[in-house]
Amino acid sequence: MSVDRFANPPTANPPTAPTTRTLTLAAPTVSSVSPASGPAAGGTPVAVTGTGFTGATAVRFGTTASTSFTLDSDTHITTTAPAGTGTVQVTVTTPRGTSAELVTYTYGTVTTPTLTSVSPVSGPVTGGTTVTLRGTGLSGATAVRFGATAATSFTVVSDTEVTAVAPAGSGTVQVTVVTPRGTSNAVAYTYSVTPAPTLSSVNPVSGPTTGGTTVTLSGSGLATATAVRFGTTAATSFTVLSDTHISAVAPAGTGTVQVTVTTRGGTTNGIPFSYATTPVVSGVSPSQGPRSGGNTVTLTGTGLAGATAVTFGATPATSFTVVSPTQLTAVAPPGAAGLVDVTVTTPGGTSAHGTGTAYFYVDTPVLTSAEPSSGPVAGGTAVTLTGAHLIEATAVHFGNTAASSFTSVSDAQLTAVAPPGNAGSVQVTVTTAGGTSNGVSYTFSAAPVLTALSPAQGPLSGGNTVTLTGTGLARTTAVMFGTVPAAFTVISDSHLTATPPPGPAGPVDVTVTTPGGTSPAVTYTRTPPPTI
C-alpha cells in the first residue's frame, strides 16, 4: 500500500525548540581575617569575614588548605590556620568560584601576652568587682580567668588593658589572659571576706530639692565604697574619709529618700534624707522691739522645721526654738533703730524678704518732765509728760500703778491721767516697744486738814493776821474765806498765816487747798466794831 507523503503536509512555521538559560552566581569575597597573624606551626583559630560563603568547599592560607573550617553563616567562617611561613593570601572557595581579595595572614614569631598588674588586687567572695588588667599583647583576648573560673565578663580596652568582672571565688587565685597567641603569666587576686557595711547616721538629714548639700555619712565598713545613692540616684560626688565616714554631695531630688553606700562587702541599710522646700516667713510678732534686743519674737510661716538659722537683717538671732513646721520663736539680737527683714534658713534654703517679714528696732523712750508734778491721792490729775520717742507708748506707770488712761500727742509729748495712789513721791515711766523710759518724779499728796485758827474772829475790814493749824499745809496753793481768797504764808506743814479779806459780819468757812485737795472748813467770824 502506498503512503501519500503529502497526506499531512508540514506547517509553514514548524515549532521552535525550547530555550535553555544558565544563572551565574557571584564568587565569594573576603573582607577580613582575625587575628591577622599567628605562629608558623599553625593551629591559630581564625575568623574569616566576607560574603557568599554558603556552600564553601575550601579555605586556603596561600596554597595550603586549612585543616578544618566551620561555615557559621553566609558572611562568617571559623577556621584553623595550617602551618606556614611568611605572608599569604586567605581565600574561600565555593562552587561559584574563589575569592580574589588580597586579605593576608602573616606567619611569624608571636609574643605571648603578659600581665603586669591587676587593680584592685582583692574583692568580695561574691564576685562582681570590676578589675583592670594591664600588660602587653592583650588585644584579641579570648578569655580572662580567675584561677580556673572564667571572668563573668571582660572588655578589651587596648593592647595593654583589659577590664574584667571577677566571678565568685575564695582565697587567692591567679588571674590570666588568654589570646590566640597563648596564655599570659599569672597575677594574684585575693577573695576577701568583707563585712557588710552599715550606716548609723547622715548629717544633715535634709537639704534643698536642687541638691548640692554636702552630707557626712557615718557608719562602718565604708572604706571600699564604690557608690553612694540618695534613693535610686547616685550622689553627685563622694569622698571616702575613713572606714567610718564618707562625705557625699546630694543630687537633686524630692520627698524623703534612703541614703545607702555600696562597697565590696555589699550595700548598707538606708538612712532617711529629706528634700526640703524653701521656708516662707509670713508673720513676725511682735513686729518691733528695743535696740538692745532680748525680746522674744514669734515667726509664723511654712517649711520652718529643721531651721538652722534665724537672722534679723544680717545679725543672727541670739537664740531660736522650732515649735512646729509653721512656727518658731527667736530672741531678737541688738540692732540699730530702723527696719530689718527677718529670715529663716533651713536645709531647703533661706526665706525671702517680703510682706510679713519686717521688724522695727525702736529707740528707748526718754522723759524730761511731768507737769503738774503732784496731785491728790485720789488720782484723776491730767499730767503732761514731755520727752522723746513717746509716740508708740504702750503703757504709762505711776510707780507700779498703770495710769488710768493716756494719749500720745506727739513723739515728744503725751498726757496721762494719774491713778489713785498713796501719799508720797513715785517715778512716772513710759513703756514702748523700745523699752521703758527713765522715771520723773510725781507726788501723791493727801488732802490738807485744818484743826484750828487763831484768832477765830476779826474785824469786818479784815487785814488782821490769822494762824491756821493742821496737817498737809506745806504745799498750800490757796486759802479761802468763803469764796474770797486770802493772802497767806506757809510756816510749816502744820502752820500757815493768812490775812482775812474784808467781808460782812458773821461766820465764814475757811479752807486750805493743796495739790492733795481742799481741807474741811473751820469757822472764822467777822464782828462789827462796838456801838458807842
Side-chain angles (χ1 to χ4, degrees), residues 328-340:
L328 61 79
T329 59
V331 176
L339 172 69
V340 296

Side-chain angles (χ1 to χ4, degrees), residues 111-116 118 133-138 143-145 174-179 181-187:
T111 304
T112 303
T114 61
L115 280 182
T116 56
V118 299
L133 314 177
R134 291 187 173 87
T136 60
L138 305 182
V144 175
R145 293 189 175 88
Q174 300 299 312
V175 181
T176 56
V177 175
V178 178
T179 74
R181 299 172 298 282
T183 300
S184 72
N185 59 300
V187 178

Side-chain angles (χ1 to χ4, degrees), residues 195-476:
T198 62
L199 276 184
S200 57
S201 67
V202 299
N203 184 40
V205 295
S206 59
T209 56
T210 53
T213 303
T214 299
V215 180
T216 298
L217 315 180
S218 300
S220 62
L222 308 180
T224 61
T226 56
V228 176
R229 292 184 174 85
F230 287 69
T232 58
T233 306
T236 303
S237 64
F238 70 90
T239 302
V240 176
L241 305 177
S242 68
D243 193 57
T244 58
H245 291 89
I246 289 176
S247 175
V249 177
T254 58
T256 298
V257 298
Q258 298 294 312
V259 181
T260 58
V261 176
T262 299
T263 72
R264 296 175 190 166
T267 299
T268 67
N269 55 298
I271 298 289
F273 179 86
S274 298
Y275 285 97
T277 56
T278 303
V280 174
V281 175
S282 56
V284 178
S285 179
S287 60
Q288 53 187 10
R291 291 174 55 187
S292 58
N295 54 310
T296 298
V297 179
T298 298
L299 308 182
T300 54
T302 58
L304 306 182
T308 56
V310 177
T311 57
F312 286 67
T315 306
T318 302
S319 64
F320 65 90
T321 301
V322 175
V323 179
S324 71
T326 60
Q327 185 180 96
L328 61 79
T329 59
V331 176
L339 172 69
V340 296
D341 276 304
V342 183
T343 58
V344 175
T345 299
T346 71
T350 297
S351 62
H353 299 175
T355 303
T357 66
Y359 180 83
F360 290 87
Y361 280 102
V362 181
D363 282 304
T364 303
V366 176
L367 284 181
T368 55
S369 66
E371 182 61 38
S373 61
S374 61
V377 293
T381 303
V383 181
T384 298
L385 302 176
T386 303
H389 314 307
L390 307 180
I391 193 66
E392 294 185 344
T394 56
V396 177
H397 285 85
F398 286 70
N400 294 321
T401 306
S404 298
S405 64
F406 65 90
T407 302
S408 293
V409 178
S410 69
D411 195 54
Q413 188 179 95
L414 61 78
T415 59
V417 177
N422 297 320
S425 293
V426 296
Q427 295 295 304
V428 182
T429 58
V430 175
T431 299
T432 70
T436 298
S437 71
N438 57 299
V440 292
S441 182
Y442 179 85
T443 301
F444 284 102
S445 301
V449 175
L450 288 179
T451 57
L453 76 166
S454 179
Q457 57 185 14
L460 300 178
S461 60
N464 55 314
T465 299
V466 176
T467 298
L468 304 177
T469 303
T471 59
L473 308 180
R475 305 183 69 191
T476 297

